[in-house]
Amino acid sequence: SKAPFRRSPILHSWPLSVFPFRAGMSFSKAHDLLRLADLAASRYRGVSLEEIAAEFRVSHRTAQRMSQALEAAFPHATERLV
């Protein structure tokens, strides 16, 4: 028999506005956004546009868009200019 599906208590408690895929974002873009959030959270100083571009193999402009999408999805996150 199959094990019952369990919702993650962390994800279940987040507001739906956090999940960009509800707004029509593709799964792969949503996945990349969550990877970026994890990457930024794992580093004390966050992540630079250059690091985003290198990690995701995207242009500088796309890295800017990803950063803006991260800000929109996680408004409590802060941006620091170094």
Side-chain angles (χ1 to χ4, degrees), residues 32-43:
D32 284 348
L33 184 62
L34 293 175
R35 277 185 50 218
L36 177 57
D38 187 47
L39 181 67
S42 70
R43 298 181 181 184

Side-chain angles (χ1 to χ4, degrees), residues 25-65:
M25 181 181 281
S26 72
F27 177 80
S28 64
K29 286 184 180 182
H31 183 260
D32 284 348
L33 184 62
L34 293 175
R35 277 185 50 218
L36 177 57
D38 187 47
L39 181 67
S42 70
R43 298 181 181 184
Y44 176 74
R45 63 177 182 77
V47 63
S48 70
L49 291 176
E50 291 78 18
E51 292 168 329
I52 294 170
E55 176 71 24
F56 293 91
R57 295 185 178 118
V58 296
S59 69
H60 183 80
R61 180 63 185 123
T62 299
Q64 288 176 322
R65 289 185 190 108

